[in-house]
Amino acid sequence: MLFKIKLLSSLFFLIHLNLFSQSEENKYIDQNGFYKINIISKKDTISFLTTNTDKKTKKPTILFLQGSLAKPIIFHDSTGASVTAFPFEIEEYLKKFNFIIIARHGIPLVGSYEKDSEGFYNKKGEIPIEFIKNDNLKYRTFQAKSVLNYLYKQKWVQKNSIFVIGHSEGYRVAAKLSENNRKIAKLVCMSANPFNRIAEYVLKSRIETLSISSDSLLQKEIEQDIRSFKSIPQNIEEYKNDYEVYNKMSYNSVLSFESLLQFKNPILVTYGTEDIGSLNNDLLPFLLRKNNLQMFVYPDLDHNYNKKEVDKNGNKLEDTYHWDSVFKDIQNWLLKN
C-alpha cells in the first residue's frame, strides 16, 4: 500500500510538473503572438509556431528555416520579458503575412535567454540526444516538407503565395526542399554557399593563402578537404547510426545549386560581402543559367547582416544591425508581381 501511495505521489508530481511546464511554454508563446501546432505521426511529432490568429482570412505565408545550433524559438529573461528567434522584426508585416517557424527536434520551444541563447543543454549539461540524432539534412528537409504540406491544406493560407526563406544552414534545407516542389511560390536562400560546407572550408583556406608568405600547409588542408568530399559514399544511410558522421555527410553529400536547378519558380539569394563562406554565390548565375534567379548582395555586411563600424579616428564602435532592412528588401521582392 505504501508503495502505491509513493507511486501515485510520483505520478502526480510528474503530471503537475508537466502541466506547469506547458503553462509556462504557453505563456511565452502567447506573449509573442504565436500559437503552437503539432503534426503527430506514429514515429514523430513536429512542432511549429504560427502567427495566424484569423482562420477566415487567407494570407501569403512565410516558412522561415533557421540556421544551425540547438536553440529554442522563444527566449525569456528573469523579468518575464521574452523575444523570438526571428532575426528580424515581424510585427509590421503581420497584416501581410503569416509567419511560420519550426522547432528543432528535441529542443524546447521556450528557453532562458541567459542559459540557452547560444544553445540548449539539458540538466546533465548535454545537448539532447534526440536533437543529435535528427540534426541532419534529411530530417530537417522532412520536417519542412511536412509543415509545407500541412500549410498547403489550410484555409488561412494563400496556396499560390507560400514563400520559403532559409538562412545559413536553413539555406541548404530550403534548397533541398525546393526540388521539383510546386507548392513553393518563391524561394529565398540566405548566407551560405551554393555548394556545401566543405566548399566553404576550401574557399576560406584559399583566401587565407593570399595573405601569408608560404601557403603549402594550407594547400595540404585544401587537398585534404577535397579528398574528404570525394570519399563520401553514394549511399550514406549505412552510417545513420553514427550520428556525427552521418550528419556531416548529409550536408556535404549534396550540392545546393543542383537542388536549385530543379526549382522552376523565382529564387532570391542574399548575402553580405563580409561573409566569406557565402562568396561562392557569385558563381550562381554561371551555375544555374536561369532567368528565375535574382541576387541581393550587401557590401560590408557579415553572415548575420552586421556591419563593423569605426569612428573618424579609426576606433572600433559597436556593430550596426541590418537584418531588418535586408528583410524589408526581401518582402518587397516576395510581393512583387
Side-chain angles (χ1 to χ4, degrees):
M1 184 67 179
L2 183 60
F3 172 75
K4 287 184 177 179
I5 292 172
K6 285 184 177 180
L7 181 61
L8 288 170
S9 298
S10 298
L11 288 172
F12 174 79
F13 175 76
L14 289 171
I15 292 169
H16 176 75
L17 187 63
N18 188 47
L19 289 174
F20 176 77
S21 176
Q22 288 180 354
S23 176
E24 282 288 286
E25 179 184 271
N26 291 336
K27 167 189 167 183
Y28 290 113
I29 290 173
D30 292 343
Q31 191 177 90
N32 285 275
F34 289 93
Y35 73 87
K36 181 172 76 168
I37 295 175
N38 291 326
I39 301 174
I40 301 172
S41 64
K42 289 182 179 179
K43 294 183 178 180
D44 195 18
T45 297
I46 298 170
S47 299
F48 66 93
L49 298 184
T50 172
T51 56
N52 173 58
T53 55
D54 182 4
K55 292 186 178 180
K56 296 180 180 179
T57 303
K58 290 185 178 183
K59 285 192 287 189
T61 299
I62 292 174
L63 171 57
F64 182 73
L65 302 174
Q66 309 170 71
S68 57
L69 299 182
K71 292 184 178 182
I73 293 176
I74 296 174
F75 300 97
H76 66 84
D77 64 18
S78 56
T79 70
S82 59
V83 295
T84 71
F86 277 100
F88 48 88
E89 293 292 338
I90 65 174
E91 189 170 353
E92 65 179 287
Y93 303 106
L94 292 179
K95 290 183 179 179
K96 296 180 183 178
F97 302 105
N98 301 309
F99 287 90
I100 310 293
I101 189 167
I102 304 171
R104 301 303 298 266
H105 194 94
I107 304 300
L109 279 163
V110 176
S112 161
Y113 183 80
E114 289 83 1
K115 293 197 290 89
D116 306 321
S117 59
E118 297 301 318
F120 176 83
Y121 294 87
N122 59 25
K123 291 181 179 179
K124 296 180 180 178
E126 301 169 343
I127 297 174
I129 188 63
E130 284 304 308
F131 171 82
I132 294 171
K133 287 164 65 173
N134 295 286
D135 186 25
N136 58 71
L137 181 61
K138 182 179 179 180
Y139 181 75
R140 286 206 67 191
T141 305
F142 164 76
Q143 260 192 329
K145 190 172 185 178
S146 299
V147 173
L148 180 66
N149 291 341
Y150 174 90
L151 294 172
Y152 197 75
K153 297 175 184 176
Q154 304 310 305
K155 294 181 179 180
W156 44 273
V157 173
Q158 276 186 216
K159 288 181 172 54
N160 65 348
S161 299
I162 299 177
F163 308 127
V164 173
I165 300 176
H167 176 254
S168 192
E169 184 179 279
Y171 176 127
R172 310 201 183 287
V173 181
K176 189 66 179 172
L177 176 67
S178 75
E179 292 181 355
N180 298 310
N181 197 321
R182 297 182 180 181
K183 293 175 182 175
I184 303 172
K186 292 186 177 183
L187 180 72
V188 183
C189 293
M190 310 178 71
S191 301
N193 74 38
F195 301 111
N196 59 17
R197 288 174 173 173
I198 292 175
E200 289 186 22
Y201 307 151
V202 170
L203 179 61
K204 288 175 181 178
S205 295
R206 179 61 69 209
I207 290 174
E208 192 176 343
T209 65
L210 301 176
S211 61
I212 58 176
S213 57
S214 175
D215 55 13
S216 58
L217 288 177
L218 283 170
Q219 179 58 30
K220 289 179 180 178
E221 286 185 20
I222 290 171
E223 291 168 1
Q224 178 57 46
D225 285 335
I226 293 172
R227 281 195 297 271
S228 69
F229 170 65
K230 288 183 174 181
S231 69
I232 297 172
Q234 283 192 328
N235 180 18
I236 67 172
E237 293 303 311
E238 59 188 274
Y239 293 91
K240 64 183 180 181
N241 293 322
D242 187 337
Y243 306 129
E244 185 176 351
V245 171
Y246 181 79
N247 294 348
K248 287 180 179 177
M249 283 185 176
S250 75
Y251 285 103
N252 286 313
S253 61
V254 175
L255 301 178
S256 292
F257 84 90
E258 292 181 338
S259 298
L260 297 179
L261 279 167
Q262 300 174 56
F263 184 67
K264 308 304 180 187
N265 290 339
I267 301 169
L268 173 64
V269 172
T270 81
Y271 59 98
T273 59
E274 290 296 311
D275 182 14
I276 294 174
S278 295
L279 297 185
N280 274 329
N281 283 304
D282 290 332
L283 301 176
L284 267 177
F286 303 95
L287 295 168
L288 300 188
R289 291 193 174 192
K290 297 170 76 173
N291 293 325
N292 65 339
L293 171 67
Q294 188 158 359
M295 297 170 67
F296 292 170
V297 184
Y298 295 92
D300 306 320
L301 301 190
D302 66 14
H303 185 71
N304 284 302
Y305 304 104
N306 294 308
K307 181 180 179 181
K308 289 182 170 57
E309 301 286 357
V310 295
D311 64 19
K312 60 183 180 181
N313 297 317
N315 299 312
K316 288 184 180 180
L317 302 173
E318 186 176 353
D319 292 357
T320 52
Y321 189 73
H322 296 271
W323 248 109
D324 291 309
S325 59
V326 170
F327 181 72
K328 187 172 184 179
D329 292 341
I330 290 171
Q331 72 93 33
N332 288 336
W333 180 82
L334 291 175
L335 295 177
K336 188 177 179 180
N337 299 324

